[in-house]
Amino acid sequence: MAKSTPNRLRVLKTFKLYIGGAFPRTESGRFLQEHNPKGQLVANFCRASRKDLRNSVVAARKAQPGWAGRTPFNRAQILYRMAEVLESRRESFESALGERAGIKAADAQAEVDAAIDRLVWYAGWADKFVQIMGTTNPVASPHFNITSPEPTGVVTAFAPRTAPLLGLITAIAPVIVSGNALVLVVENEHPSIAIDLAEVFHCSDLPGGVVNILTGLREELVPHAAKHMDIDAIATFDATDEERRLIALEAAESVKRVHNFESPAKNDWSIASAQSPYNILPFVEFKTAWHPIESGAAMGAKY
């Protein structure tokens, strides 16, 4: 941590929220404090409220159709651009992981490397997952029958409590790559890293509102997210049994999709199994289209 002049009161940054491509303060005016492993105060951050959640859902709903309407190739370009900008700021993130989270230099470097690589990895799936998950169905009539995945809409994800950078990328990338918009709720020991990451997104051609980041307390926001009628799906990482029960109960009212991800062994989010094209699957819906074709008999075909 950079040293200040003796006897000078250091001004600590208050990290804001990220909603609709802007960085507003929480409407409630509340904030929480972040400490490093030595117990030193390193930052203040906003404690998001129910209204902040509602504002984020409005921003996400507004942004989602345009994002889904982009070509898969364009979404891949933007995810790749996010990786490029993160790469250009890697020293800043390595420093933040070391100073605020107390992560050793080599481990911080490895976490940034893995986060960048994971973004590139999911960028590559943007125009390929449809081929893996879609299908052409055999039917007994003169039609093409095609089933293909489409984004489900607005997703709220409760981020992992560990891996303050890589855990976020693991939660974000598989949701937005298919065309969903995301409200990410972050409660871990170092949530300021999430707002650093929001600044990367802000400079990465990602349309405002596609990713919205709220810092705060899960116990406050989980019930509101589960009840919200304009959220289409919820993803959780490291959810407690009580959180799972509450989300399953309340989400049934609006027929939300709910998917609970399990943490990897020893919270090692860098392992290969933490990324998968099948992590995209919980956040898509399958649409089947029938397209008439001229029958072979009508064309005079003989068998």
Side-chain angles (χ1 to χ4, degrees):
M1 185 182 300
K3 294 183 179 179
S4 180
T5 304
N7 301 324
R8 176 182 174 273
L9 182 61
R10 188 166 177 236
V11 177
L12 295 177
K13 183 175 180 179
T14 297
F15 289 83
K16 301 177 185 176
L17 307 175
Y18 185 55
I19 302 174
F23 292 89
R25 298 180 189 277
T26 172
E27 60 80 29
S28 68
R30 301 175 302 175
F31 72 94
L32 298 169
Q33 295 182 327
E34 178 178 329
H35 298 83
N36 65 18
K38 296 179 181 178
Q40 298 169 321
L41 179 64
V42 293
N44 302 302
F45 62 94
C46 290
R47 177 180 170 181
S49 67
R50 177 182 183 179
K51 188 171 190 303
D52 295 319
L53 176 69
R54 292 205 304 263
N55 291 342
S56 299
V57 173
V58 170
R61 179 62 66 190
K62 183 178 180 181
Q64 194 272 329
W67 178 240
R70 304 249 182 161
T71 64
F73 179 67
N74 186 230
R75 289 200 298 273
Q77 287 178 311
I78 292 175
L79 262 71
Y80 189 85
R81 176 62 179 161
M82 291 157 64
E84 286 181 331
V85 177
L86 184 55
E87 180 78 61
S88 71
R89 298 189 179 189
R90 62 174 306 125
E91 291 182 358
S92 173
F93 276 90
E94 290 174 13
S95 175
L97 290 170
E99 293 177 358
R100 295 183 218 152
I103 297 176
K104 294 179 181 178
D107 293 338
Q109 181 179 2
E111 179 159 350
V112 174
D113 286 343
I116 295 169
D117 292 347
R118 189 150 296 171
L119 275 173
V120 173
W121 194 85
Y122 275 107
W125 279 104
D127 58 357
K128 300 177 184 64
F129 79 93
V130 174
Q131 301 168 45
I132 300 296
M133 300 174 186
T135 182
T136 301
N137 309 305
V139 293
S141 63
H143 294 84
F144 282 128
N145 186 275
I146 305 168
T147 299
S148 59
E150 295 189 348
T152 193
V154 174
V155 179
T156 293
F158 293 88
R161 300 180 193 270
T162 56
L165 176 61
L166 181 58
L168 303 179
I169 298 297
T170 303
I172 293 170
V175 173
I176 66 171
V177 70
S178 63
N180 293 302
L182 174 67
V183 177
L184 182 69
V185 178
V186 180
E187 181 190 350
N188 59 36
E189 293 183 351
H190 309 289
S192 61
I193 304 292
I195 305 304
D196 286 338
L197 185 61
E199 294 177 358
V200 168
F201 297 163
H202 196 63
C203 303
S204 302
D205 301 330
L206 184 71
V210 173
V211 175
N212 306 274
I213 299 179
L214 304 178
T215 54
L217 302 180
R218 277 193 182 201
E219 62 180 6
E220 177 180 357
L221 298 178
V222 161
H224 301 309
K227 293 178 182 177
H228 200 299
M229 300 301 286
D230 204 27
I231 292 175
D232 301 303
I234 292 179
T236 68
F237 294 81
D238 304 326
T240 63
D241 291 341
E242 176 58 22
E243 288 174 342
R244 294 185 186 210
R245 186 197 66 79
L246 177 62
I247 291 172
L249 182 65
E250 298 291 350
E253 181 72 16
S254 56
V255 201
K256 286 182 179 63
R257 290 170 173 266
V258 177
H259 191 82
N260 300 304
F261 288 95
E262 302 294 340
S263 297
K266 299 180 181 179
N267 288 318
D268 182 7
W269 292 94
S270 65
I271 60 175
S273 59
Q275 61 186 29
S276 168
Y278 293 100
N279 289 348
I280 302 171
L281 195 58
F283 314 110
V284 296
E285 297 175 3
F286 287 90
K287 178 180 178 181
T288 297
W290 294 72
H291 183 77
I293 58 175
E294 194 170 5
S295 69
M299 297 173 64
K302 297 179 180 179
Y303 299 94

